[in-house]
């Protein structure tokens, strides 16, 4: 089990269990610890049952990692829980999660491919610093500087060795909405054009002339890791992780249907260039 460096009455002290009020996933981690301790077991005992490392059990119990279906099923069977952990996972995946973005970044770090659709603003993975700051300040982020640093650090995955393939489609509205003013928007659109030249990036624009489509339902992303694909859909201040295979496939198909109405890569490049020059003025010297 993962332990805090320190001693209390001669014994090592465990990290605090996840706060069950914070999210369904935290409730699962908290209840896992309860089930383990009521059986007089340690982390290594639980890990042997779940088929994982003791450190994984520790991270699940503290809310740093999610319990998987296979792990839950093994524990439910061995401890005769009536299937409680499996059922909790079922409902956790269908609930909004206030800590959902931690899951997003964890999956991004392992991603082999990301497919992102954005309806109203440039996605965080390809924002420049001024654009990101304007969004954070307008959203009344309590610690703008820390959030800005975190957002910029996320972008390192795009240029790492074996960088993930990034398929990004944005609505034309993203290009017209002057976040941070003309100068900030011009630099942001310049960054999009630069990124679109990378071998691992496919950038396209969905024009307003495409009419009604699933794009109007809001932003989402599909992230493929070595463990398989998951999807994320988001709303103001909350979001949801989708991991059921059929549901993830539907988000992947939705992305393809949106892209079927999008401009080609070269047409998208030309539209960004035209908007940049017509709406936001010439480049500053």
């Amino acid at each position: 089990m993962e332990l805090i460096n320190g001693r209390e009455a001669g014994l090592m002290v465990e990290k605090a269990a996840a706060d069950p009020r914070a999210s369904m996933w935290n409730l699962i981690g908290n209840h896992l610890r309860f089930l383990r301790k009521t059986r007089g077991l340690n982390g290594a005992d639980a890990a042997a049952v779940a088929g994982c490392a003791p450190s994984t059990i520790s991270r699940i119990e503290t809310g740093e990692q999610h319990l998987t279906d296979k792990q839950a099923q093994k524990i439910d069977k061995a401890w005769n829980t009536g299937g409680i952990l499996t059922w909790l996972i079922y409902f956790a995946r269908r609930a909004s999660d206030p800590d959902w973005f931690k899951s997003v970044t964890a999956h991004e770090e392992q991603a082999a491919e990301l497919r992102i659709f954005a309806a109203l603003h440039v996605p965080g993975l390809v924002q420049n610093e001024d654009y990101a700051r304007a969004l954070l300040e307008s959203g009344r982020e309590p610690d703008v500087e820390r959030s800005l640093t975190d957002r910029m650090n996320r972008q390192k995955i795009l240029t790492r060795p074996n960088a993930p393939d990034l398929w990004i489609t944005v609505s034309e509205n993203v290009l017209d909405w002057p976040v941070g003013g003309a100068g900030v928007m011009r630099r942001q659109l310049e960054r999009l054009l630069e990124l679109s030249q990378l071998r691992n990036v496919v950038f396209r624009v969905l024009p307003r002339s495409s009419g009604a489509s699933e794009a109007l339902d809001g932003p989402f992303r599909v992230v493929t890791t070595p463990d398989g694909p998951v999807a994320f859909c988001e709303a103001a201040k909350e979001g949801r992780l989708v991991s059921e295979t059929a549901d993830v496939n539907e988000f992947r198909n939705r992305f393809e249907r949106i892209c079927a109405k999008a401009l080609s890569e070269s047409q998208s490049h030309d539209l960004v260039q035209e908007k940049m020059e017509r709406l936001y003025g010439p480049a500053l010297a």
Side-chain angles (χ1 to χ4, degrees):
M1 172 175 293
E2 188 175 343
L3 300 171
I4 294 177
N5 291 326
R7 294 182 181 274
E8 182 175 321
L11 298 174
M12 296 295 285
V13 181
E14 293 180 348
K15 283 185 176 181
D19 181 356
R21 298 165 297 183
S23 71
M24 283 289 292
W25 291 106
N26 274 19
L27 173 62
I28 292 169
N30 187 285
H31 195 62
L32 174 61
R33 178 170 290 188
F34 169 77
L35 292 172
R36 174 177 64 77
K37 286 194 168 186
T38 56
R39 288 161 175 76
L41 304 176
N42 60 31
D45 297 327
V49 171
C52 63
S55 60
T56 298
I57 295 296
S58 177
R59 288 194 293 272
I60 292 170
E61 292 183 352
T62 57
E64 300 170 74
Q65 186 170 330
H66 290 175
L67 187 68
T68 68
D69 289 302
K70 289 183 179 179
Q71 292 164 352
Q73 290 163 7
K74 289 178 180 179
I75 293 172
D76 281 334
K77 181 178 180 180
W79 294 354
N80 192 27
T81 69
I84 184 63
L85 294 175
T86 301
W87 281 115
L88 286 173
I89 288 176
Y90 174 86
F91 286 107
R93 286 180 175 145
R94 284 155 178 77
S96 62
D97 184 354
D99 204 25
W100 74 285
F101 203 69
K102 184 184 293 185
S103 297
V104 173
T105 55
H107 282 84
E108 282 179 351
E109 290 173 359
Q110 304 176 57
E113 179 188 89
L114 299 103
R115 294 174 180 246
I116 302 174
F117 172 70
L120 292 177
H121 60 74
V122 173
L125 271 180
V126 291
Q127 292 173 5
N128 68 22
E129 190 168 318
D130 290 337
Y131 186 97
R133 184 189 297 278
L135 285 176
L136 291 168
E137 289 177 347
S138 65
R140 300 187 178 184
E141 179 68 27
D143 191 341
V144 170
E145 294 307 318
R146 186 178 72 174
S147 296
L148 184 63
T149 298
D150 291 344
R151 187 167 298 186
M152 295 300 105
N153 285 337
R154 284 173 56 208
Q155 299 181 5
K156 293 178 181 178
I157 68 169
L158 299 181
T159 53
R160 73 185 183 199
N162 298 317
D165 289 331
L166 175 62
W167 300 68
I168 180 167
T169 299
V170 303
S171 76
E172 187 176 349
N173 298 325
V174 170
L175 311 181
D176 293 340
W177 208 298
V179 173
V184 170
M185 277 302 299
R186 182 179 179 92
R187 290 189 294 275
Q188 177 62 70
L189 296 187
E190 287 173 344
R191 174 164 172 74
L192 290 179
L193 292 179
E194 291 169 1
L195 289 171
S196 70
Q197 302 306 306
L198 296 178
R199 294 177 60 186
N200 59 312
V201 176
V202 175
F203 174 76
R204 298 175 68 185
V205 177
L206 179 72
R208 279 190 291 271
S209 60
S210 63
S213 75
E214 294 163 294
L216 299 178
D217 290 340
F220 64 92
R221 68 192 68 198
V222 179
V223 183
T224 301
T225 73
D227 295 326
V230 295
F232 295 91
C233 51
E234 57 188 281
K237 301 296 183 182
E238 63 181 23
R240 184 166 66 94
L241 165 68
V242 178
S243 57
E244 294 290 339
T245 301
D247 295 334
V248 174
N249 285 341
E250 175 52 32
F251 274 102
R252 182 183 288 272
N253 291 338
R254 176 182 293 191
F255 186 84
E256 294 299 329
R257 289 192 294 268
I258 290 172
C259 288
K261 294 187 174 185
L263 301 175
S264 69
E265 289 183 82
S266 61
Q267 290 171 328
S268 298
H269 182 283
D270 291 345
L271 180 61
V272 173
Q273 187 76 41
E274 185 272 327
K275 296 270 189 184
M276 188 172 64
E277 295 175 355
R278 180 170 58 84
L279 297 177
Y280 306 117
L284 298 176

